[in-house]
Amino acid sequence: MAGALSHLRILDLSRVLAGPWAGQLLADLGADVIKVEKPGEGDDTRAWGPPFLKDADGRDTRESAYYLSTNRGKRSLAIDFTRPEGQALVRQLAAQCDVVLENFKAGGLAKYGLDYASLRQVRPDIVYCSITGFGQDGPYAHRAGYDFLVQGMGGLMSLTGEPDGDPMKVGVALTDIFTGMYASVAVLAALAHRDRTGQGQHVDLALLDVQVAVLANQASNYLVGGMVPRRLGNAHPNIVPYQAFPTADGHVILAVGNDGQFQKFCGVAGCPALAEDPRFATNAERVRNRETLVPLLKAALGARPSAEWIRDLEAAGVPCGPINNLAQVFDNPQIQHRGMVARLDHPEAGQVNLVANPIHFSETPIAYDRAPPRLGADTDDLLSDLLGLDEVAIAELRAKGVV
């Protein structure tokens, strides 16, 4: 069955993470995504290992686990668009595409004639999505932006880590990933606008803007309350108890979202008087008296092992859970039932296991039928099928180093 976006073709000029993440999501939804890479080099992330995917003989391929995580479902076209001939090829391809994704520095593609102003000349209704660190305008527009830097500049690291420890980044490149997600939504909105009006447009996304946007309740706490939020470790600024607690043999997460759940917890923990104490009876009071309550809860939870707490609290309807490592995550029966590992055929490795898309459609299910492509694997087919070039013309381009 064709995917929901099988009528769309995407020209993906991006590399590393934010742009490729958007391209992968659109590919998962059925779009034909053409990943343009420089011959002989390709996306930087191909070399970001180890680990690397191993071939059938156990030898490392040229595809890192990092690259594999964000390029499923695409076709790879190797073109050097720093050369005039390569620029001409990309413009011809753009004329047959609905969307262009790129994450070069602001204005960086203009010198190649591949910016929005140039490509709208060959495809007036093109949706052109630019992803940069700081946007297309403003005093920082020409700075290079990286996820780690933006987590710091955008406030996330000021909220992450123990109160008396160092500021910490999140363990994955969350700003890049959120930017890719916002880019996908923006592209689909722009396409919906095009369907109604016939107009294409330029979509401008900045990592810094996205990082500020996803501060969510913490940003609102500051804008509404006027106080700069501080690091709370695993605790929550607006809910108590909502954090990790040490147990007799490890840790357990307690996520009490309302007063009824707190009463149930106190019953299981053998301390019902805490739920009746005016200092702790409501969430607002528990937040105000956090410093008094949390040590009492730590003492109670430290008396029993994690598995017992999880068993008894789940039975009582109190949200709780373990802190799993990734081996435990992928062994989890719920994760396995939901099919969160996608197994794709790969020409060198035989098979590659990747994290599946979490979206489940009733009518247009996601098809995992194209592994992340080897560099330039689809060059000849794409130049032939889309641009009508014959073997001689392709050979000439290859001899010149254009493809």
Side-chain angles (χ1 to χ4, degrees), residues 12-36:
D12 185 357
L13 305 181
S14 68
R15 65 267 192 238
V16 186
L17 184 51
W21 193 265
Q24 177 171 267
L25 178 53
L26 295 169
D28 281 349
L29 299 178
D32 177 17
V33 179
I34 300 169
K35 182 178 180 67
V36 176

Side-chain angles (χ1 to χ4, degrees), residues 281-295:
T282 67
N283 180 69
E285 290 303 318
R286 291 194 294 276
V287 171
R288 292 188 184 99
N289 293 287
R290 179 197 305 267
E291 303 301 329
T292 302
L293 176 60
V294 168

Side-chain angles (χ1 to χ4, degrees), residues 36 71 89 103 147 164 168 193 197 212 232 245 276 352 367 379:
V36 176
N71 287 288
L89 291 174
N103 61 351
D147 178 277
D164 56 353
M168 297 294 293
H193 173 76
T197 67
V212 173
L232 294 172
F245 286 93
E276 300 172 1
V352 57
T379 298

Side-chain angles (χ1 to χ4, degrees), residues 208-219:
L208 184 60
D209 296 350
V210 169
Q211 178 56 80
V212 173
V214 299
L215 292 175
N217 61 298
Q218 290 280 35

